[in-house]
C-alpha cells in the first residue's frame, strides 16, 4: 500500500495552551521563557487569553497534582502562530521547560486553537461531519482517561450509530452545525473534545475576536513530537475538510479493504 505524504503548508493561525503540574512556579517559567524567547511574557492568575502577541503564563485550577482539589497547576498560552517556524520556536521553549524539571500529570491537557475567521456555519458543519466520523477511531490515539473525560467530552451520540448519516441527509451541513452548536456559554459547554463556543459566540456577536475552533482532547505533554503532531494534524484537518463534500460509507465492502 502506497501512502502519499504532503508537506505542511498551511498559513492558518493557531495557538497552543500547555498545562503543567505545580513543580515549577509561574515566576520560574517566566524566567525560562525570557532567556530563550524574543517574545514578552505576561504572568497572571487565570484569565482568558486571545490574540496573544506574547506568552501568557497563568494559574490553572484543574491541572494540579490532585486536579480541582488543589494545589493549582500552571497553563502556558502561546502567542498566535502562523507558521512552522513559530511552532518550532514554541517547541524549543517546551524543551527548555522540560529540561528545567517541568512535568505534566494525568489532569493536564493540551489545547490547540485553530483560527476560524474564514469559516461559516456550512464549513464548520462539514468539519463536524468528518469529526464525528473519525472520533471513535481517533480516541485510540489517546489514553483511556481522555475518553469522554469531563473536560473534553465526546461530541458523537452513543445511542444510535445511524444518527450521523440521518442528520446529514435530513439537515445538511448548516443543519448539522445547528444541532451541535453550543446551547450555553458556560464552562460546561466548552468542555468538548472539539469546542465550538468561541466560534459560535463570534458568529452571534458578528465579530472575528476569538473566532476559533479548539481541540481539547490530547493529554498534557512536554514531548515535542507529540505537541507538533497534534498541532499539524488539527490544523491540516480543518484546512482539508472545510470545503470537502461528505460521503458516509454505511456498507463497507470488506474485499476492498487493503489495510487498517
Amino acid at each position: 500500500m502506497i501512502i502519499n505524504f504532503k508537506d505542511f503548508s498551511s498559513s492558518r493561525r493557531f495557538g497552543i495552551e500547555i498545562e503543567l503540574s505545580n513543580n515549577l512556579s509561574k515566576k520560574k517559567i517566566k524566567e525560562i521563557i525570557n532567556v530563550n524567547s524574543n517574545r514578552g511574557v505576561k504572568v497572571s492568575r487565570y484569565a482568558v487569553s486571545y490574540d496573544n502577541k506574547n506568552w501568557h503564563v497563568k494559574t490553572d485550577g484543574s491541572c494540579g497534582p490532585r486536579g480541582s482539589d488543589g494545589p493549582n497547576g500552571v497553563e502556558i498560552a502561546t502567542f498566535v502562530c502562523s507558521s512552522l517556524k513559530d511552532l518550532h520556536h514554541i517547541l524549543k521553549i517546551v524543551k527548555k521547560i522540560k529540561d528545567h524539571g517541568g512535568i505534566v500529570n494525568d489532569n493536564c491537557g493540551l489545547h490547540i486553537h485553530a483560527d476560524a475567521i474564514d469559516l461559516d456555519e456550512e464549513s464548520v458543519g462539514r468539519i463536524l461531519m468528518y469529526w464525528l466520523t473519525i472520533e471513535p477511531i481517533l480516541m485510540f490515539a489517546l489514553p483511556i482517561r481522555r475518553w469522554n473525560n469531563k473536560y473534553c467530552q465526546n461530541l458523537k451520540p452513543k445511542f444510535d450509530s445511524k444518527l450521523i448519516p440521518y442528520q446529514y441527509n435530513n439537515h445538511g451541513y448548516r443543519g448539522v452545525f445547528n444541532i451541535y452548536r453550543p446551547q450555553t456559554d458556560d464552562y460546561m459547554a466548552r468542555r468538548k473534545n472539539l469546542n465550538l463556543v468561541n466560534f459560535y459566540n463570534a458568529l452571534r456577536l458578528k465579530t472575528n475576536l476569538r473566532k476559533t475552533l479548539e481541540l481539547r482532547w490530547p493529554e498534557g505533554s512536554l514531548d515535542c513530537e507529540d505537541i507538533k503532531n497534534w498541532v499539524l494534524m488539527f490544523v491540516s484537518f480543518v484546512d482539508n475538510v472545510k470545503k470537502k463534500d461528505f460521503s458516509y460509507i454505511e456498507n463497507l465492502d470488506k474485499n476492498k479493504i487493503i489495510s487498517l
Side-chain angles (χ1 to χ4, degrees):
M1 182 178 181
I2 299 175
I3 301 175
N4 292 321
F5 293 91
K6 294 182 178 180
D7 290 334
F8 180 78
S9 57
S10 175
S11 60
R12 184 173 301 279
R13 302 195 312 161
F14 60 90
I16 310 170
E17 295 168 359
I18 302 161
E19 293 182 348
L20 304 175
S21 194
N22 68 334
N23 63 306
L24 288 183
S25 68
K26 292 183 292 184
K27 180 180 179 181
K28 181 61 179 177
I29 293 170
K30 178 182 179 179
E31 289 176 5
I32 296 168
I33 295 174
N34 273 332
V35 170
N36 294 284
S37 178
N38 57 358
R39 301 269 182 165
V41 189
K42 174 184 177 180
V43 175
S44 73
R45 295 183 178 181
Y46 182 79
V48 173
S49 302
Y50 56 92
D51 203 23
N52 285 3
K53 301 296 188 296
N54 297 304
W55 300 85
H56 187 182
V57 180
K58 49 190 167 178
T59 304
D60 191 302
S62 67
C63 64
R66 295 195 299 275
S68 56
D69 293 329
N72 294 324
V74 178
E75 178 185 298
I76 305 170
T78 72
F79 55 90
V80 177
C81 307
S82 59
S83 66
L84 271 177
K85 180 180 178 180
D86 287 341
L87 178 57
H88 288 150
H89 179 65
I90 288 168
L91 298 177
K92 170 189 170 184
I93 302 302
V94 168
K95 185 177 184 305
K96 294 294 184 181
I97 290 170
K98 185 176 181 180
D99 289 346
H100 280 80
I103 60 172
V104 298
N105 59 57
D106 288 353
N107 301 307
C108 296
L110 174 71
H111 303 162
I112 303 162
H113 288 262
D115 188 18
I117 60 172
D118 60 321
L119 306 180
D120 58 14
E121 296 99 318
E122 179 165 334
S123 53
V124 173
R126 293 172 189 265
I127 290 168
L128 280 168
M129 291 307 306
Y130 280 96
W131 180 261
L132 292 164
T133 303
I134 69 170
E135 190 181 64
I137 300 169
L138 190 60
M139 66 189 294
F140 289 104
L142 298 157
I144 293 176
R145 66 177 180 273
R146 301 299 287 181
W147 295 9
N148 217 25
N149 183 288
K150 68 178 181 178
Y151 294 107
C152 49
Q153 300 166 39
N154 290 15
L155 287 186
K156 184 175 181 179
K158 294 181 178 180
F159 51 85
D160 189 348
S161 62
K162 295 185 180 297
L163 183 61
I164 296 172
Y166 171 83
Q167 290 173 337
Y168 167 62
N169 290 329
N170 286 274
H171 302 286
Y173 299 120
R174 288 177 181 264
V176 168
F177 172 77
N178 284 327
I179 291 170
Y180 288 94
R181 69 174 174 82
Q183 302 301 312
T184 62
D185 186 23
D186 61 19
Y187 68 95
M188 291 303 296
R190 297 174 182 274
R191 292 179 173 181
K192 303 293 184 182
N193 55 27
L194 182 60
N195 172 21
L196 306 176
V197 170
N198 286 351
F199 175 81
Y200 180 65
N201 282 343
L203 285 183
R204 182 171 56 83
L205 299 173
K206 297 180 179 180
T207 178
N208 284 332
L209 186 66
R210 300 192 74 217
K211 192 177 183 183
T212 66
L213 302 179
E214 181 190 17
L215 176 66
R216 294 177 56 88
W217 218 359
E219 73 274 25
S221 179
L222 292 176
D223 183 287
C224 291
E225 286 301 308
D226 281 350
I227 296 172
K228 180 179 180 179
N229 288 330
W230 277 115
V231 171
L232 297 186
M233 184 282 292
F234 185 52
V235 175
S236 296
F237 175 78
V238 172
D239 275 344
N240 281 284
V241 303
K242 65 179 182 178
K243 293 182 179 179
K244 191 174 180 65
D245 285 329
F246 178 78
S247 178
Y248 194 88
I249 302 173
E250 294 188 71
N251 300 307
L252 187 63
D253 184 347
K254 295 181 179 180
N255 294 322
K256 294 182 180 180
I257 298 177
I258 299 175
S259 175
L260 292 178

